[in-house]
Coordinates of all heavy atoms in Angstrom, one line a residue:
N1 N -14.0 -19.6 -6.0 CA -14.3 -18.2 -5.9 C -15.0 -17.9 -4.6 O -15.8 -18.7 -4.2 CB -15.1 -17.7 -7.0 CG -14.5 -17.8 -8.4 OD1 -13.7 -16.9 -8.8 ND2 -14.7 -18.9 -9.1
T2 N -14.6 -16.9 -3.9 CA -15.3 -16.5 -2.6 C -16.7 -16.2 -2.8 O -17.6 -16.6 -2.1 CB -14.6 -15.3 -1.9 OG1 -13.2 -15.6 -1.8 CG2 -15.2 -15.1 -0.6
Y3 N -17.0 -15.4 -3.9 CA -18.3 -15.0 -4.2 C -18.6 -15.5 -5.7 O -17.8 -16.0 -6.4 CB -18.5 -13.5 -4.1 CG -18.2 -13.0 -2.7 CD1 -17.0 -12.4 -2.3 CD2 -19.2 -13.1 -1.7 CE1 -16.8 -12.0 -1.0 CE2 -19.0 -12.7 -0.4 CZ -17.8 -12.1 -0.1 OH -17.6 -11.7 1.2
L4 N -19.9 -15.2 -6.1 CA -20.3 -15.8 -7.4 C -19.4 -15.3 -8.6 O -19.1 -16.1 -9.5 CB -21.8 -15.5 -7.6 CG -22.7 -16.4 -6.9 CD1 -24.2 -15.9 -7.1 CD2 -22.6 -17.8 -7.3
A5 N -19.1 -14.0 -8.5 CA -18.4 -13.4 -9.7 C -16.9 -13.2 -9.4 O -16.2 -12.5 -10.1 CB -19.0 -12.1 -10.1
G6 N -16.4 -13.9 -8.4 CA -15.0 -13.7 -8.1 C -14.7 -13.5 -6.6 O -15.4 -14.1 -5.7
D7 N -13.8 -12.7 -6.2 CA -13.4 -12.5 -4.8 C -14.1 -11.3 -4.2 O -13.8 -11.0 -3.0 CB -11.9 -12.4 -4.7 CG -11.1 -13.6 -5.1 OD1 -11.7 -14.7 -4.8 OD2 -10.0 -13.6 -5.6
E8 N -14.9 -10.6 -4.9 CA -15.6 -9.5 -4.4 C -17.1 -9.7 -4.3 O -17.7 -10.3 -5.2 CB -15.3 -8.2 -5.2 CG -13.9 -7.7 -5.1 CD -13.7 -6.4 -5.9 OE1 -14.7 -5.8 -6.3 OE2 -12.5 -6.0 -6.0
Y9 N -17.7 -9.3 -3.3 CA -19.2 -9.3 -3.1 C -19.8 -8.3 -4.0 O -19.4 -7.1 -4.1 CB -19.5 -9.0 -1.6 CG -20.9 -8.8 -1.2 CD1 -21.7 -9.9 -1.1 CD2 -21.4 -7.6 -0.9 CE1 -23.1 -9.8 -0.7 CE2 -22.8 -7.4 -0.5 CZ -23.6 -8.5 -0.4 OH -24.9 -8.4 0.0
T10 N -20.8 -8.7 -4.8 CA -21.4 -7.8 -5.8 C -22.9 -8.0 -5.9 O -23.5 -8.8 -5.1 CB -20.8 -8.2 -7.2 OG1 -21.3 -9.5 -7.6 CG2 -19.3 -8.1 -7.2
I11 N -23.5 -7.3 -6.8 CA -25.0 -7.4 -7.0 C -25.4 -8.9 -7.4 O -26.5 -9.2 -7.3 CB -25.5 -6.4 -8.0 CG1 -24.8 -6.5 -9.3 CG2 -25.4 -5.0 -7.4 CD1 -25.5 -5.6 -10.4
A12 N -24.4 -9.6 -8.0 CA -24.8 -11.0 -8.3 C -25.1 -11.8 -7.1 O -26.0 -12.6 -7.1 CB -23.6 -11.7 -9.1
D13 N -24.4 -11.6 -6.0 CA -24.6 -12.3 -4.7 C -25.9 -11.8 -4.1 O -26.7 -12.6 -3.6 CB -23.5 -12.1 -3.8 CG -22.2 -12.5 -4.3 OD1 -22.0 -13.8 -4.5 OD2 -21.3 -11.7 -4.7
I14 N -26.1 -10.5 -4.2 CA -27.4 -9.9 -3.6 C -28.6 -10.4 -4.3 O -29.6 -10.7 -3.7 CB -27.3 -8.4 -3.7 CG1 -26.2 -7.8 -2.8 CG2 -28.6 -7.7 -3.3 CD1 -26.0 -6.3 -2.9
S15 N -28.5 -10.6 -5.6 CA -29.6 -11.1 -6.4 C -29.9 -12.5 -6.1 O -31.1 -12.9 -6.1 CB -29.3 -10.9 -7.9 OG -30.4 -11.4 -8.7
T16 N -28.9 -13.3 -5.9 CA -29.1 -14.8 -5.8 C -29.4 -15.3 -4.4 O -30.2 -16.2 -4.2 CB -27.8 -15.5 -6.3 OG1 -27.5 -14.9 -7.6 CG2 -28.1 -17.0 -6.5
W17 N -28.8 -14.7 -3.4 CA -28.9 -15.2 -2.0 C -30.3 -15.3 -1.5 O -30.7 -16.3 -0.9 CB -28.0 -14.3 -1.1 CG -28.1 -14.8 0.4 CD1 -27.5 -15.9 0.9 CD2 -28.8 -14.2 1.4 NE1 -27.7 -16.0 2.2 CE2 -28.5 -14.9 2.6 CE3 -29.6 -13.0 1.5 CZ2 -29.1 -14.6 3.8 CZ3 -30.1 -12.7 2.8 CH2 -29.9 -13.5 3.9
P18 N -31.2 -14.2 -1.7 CA -32.5 -14.4 -1.2 C -33.3 -15.5 -1.7 O -34.2 -16.0 -1.0 CB -33.2 -13.0 -1.6 CG -32.0 -12.1 -1.8 CD -30.9 -12.9 -2.3
W19 N -33.0 -16.0 -2.9 CA -33.6 -17.2 -3.4 C -33.0 -18.5 -2.9 O -33.8 -19.4 -2.4 CB -33.5 -17.2 -5.0 CG -34.5 -16.4 -5.6 CD1 -34.3 -15.1 -6.2 CD2 -35.9 -16.7 -5.8 NE1 -35.5 -14.6 -6.7 CE2 -36.5 -15.6 -6.5 CE3 -36.7 -17.8 -5.5 CZ2 -37.9 -15.6 -6.8 CZ3 -38.0 -17.7 -5.8 CH2 -38.6 -16.6 -6.5
V20 N -31.7 -18.6 -2.9 CA -31.1 -19.9 -2.5 C -31.4 -20.1 -1.0 O -31.5 -21.3 -0.6 CB -29.6 -19.8 -2.8 CG1 -28.9 -21.2 -2.3 CG2 -29.3 -19.6 -4.3
R21 N -31.5 -19.1 -0.2 CA -31.7 -19.3 1.2 C -33.0 -20.0 1.6 O -33.1 -20.5 2.6 CB -31.6 -18.0 2.0 CG -32.7 -17.0 1.6 CD -32.5 -15.7 2.4 NE -32.9 -15.8 3.8 CZ -34.1 -15.7 4.3 NH1 -35.1 -15.4 3.5 NH2 -34.3 -15.8 5.6
I22 N -33.9 -20.0 0.6 CA -35.2 -20.6 0.9 C -35.3 -22.0 0.2 O -36.4 -22.4 -0.2 CB -36.4 -19.7 0.5 CG1 -36.4 -19.4 -1.0 CG2 -36.4 -18.4 1.3 CD1 -37.7 -18.8 -1.5
H23 N -34.2 -22.6 -0.1 CA -34.2 -23.9 -0.8 C -35.1 -24.9 -0.2 O -35.7 -25.7 -0.9 CB -32.8 -24.4 -0.9 CG -32.1 -24.7 0.4 ND1 -32.2 -26.0 0.9 CD2 -31.4 -24.0 1.3 CE1 -31.6 -26.0 2.1 NE2 -31.1 -24.8 2.3
E24 N -35.2 -24.9 1.1 CA -36.0 -25.9 1.8 C -37.5 -25.7 1.5 O -38.3 -26.7 1.3 CB -35.8 -25.9 3.3 CG -34.5 -26.4 3.8 CD -34.3 -26.4 5.3 OE1 -35.3 -25.9 6.0 OE2 -33.3 -26.9 5.8
W25 N -37.9 -24.5 1.3 CA -39.3 -24.1 1.0 C -39.6 -24.7 -0.4 O -40.8 -25.0 -0.7 CB -39.5 -22.6 1.1 CG -41.0 -22.3 1.0 CD1 -41.5 -21.6 -0.1 CD2 -42.0 -22.5 1.9 NE1 -42.9 -21.5 0.1 CE2 -43.2 -22.0 1.3 CE3 -42.1 -23.1 3.1 CZ2 -44.5 -22.0 2.0 CZ3 -43.3 -23.1 3.8 CH2 -44.5 -22.6 3.2

C-alpha cells in the first residue's frame, strides 16, 4: 500500500507520521 490505509493519503497518515519521524529520539 502506498499509504497506511491504501492508495490514498488520509488522516491515518497524518496521525502516525509525527510520531514515527522521531523514532531516533
Side-chain angles (χ1 to χ4, degrees):
N1 296 275
T2 304
Y3 299 101
L4 282 175
D7 292 329
E8 294 186 7
Y9 175 73
T10 69
I11 59 173
D13 303 289
I14 293 174
S15 180
T16 310
W17 181 75
W19 278 103
V20 180
R21 65 181 288 271
I22 63 165
H23 64 91
E24 290 183 353
W25 187 252

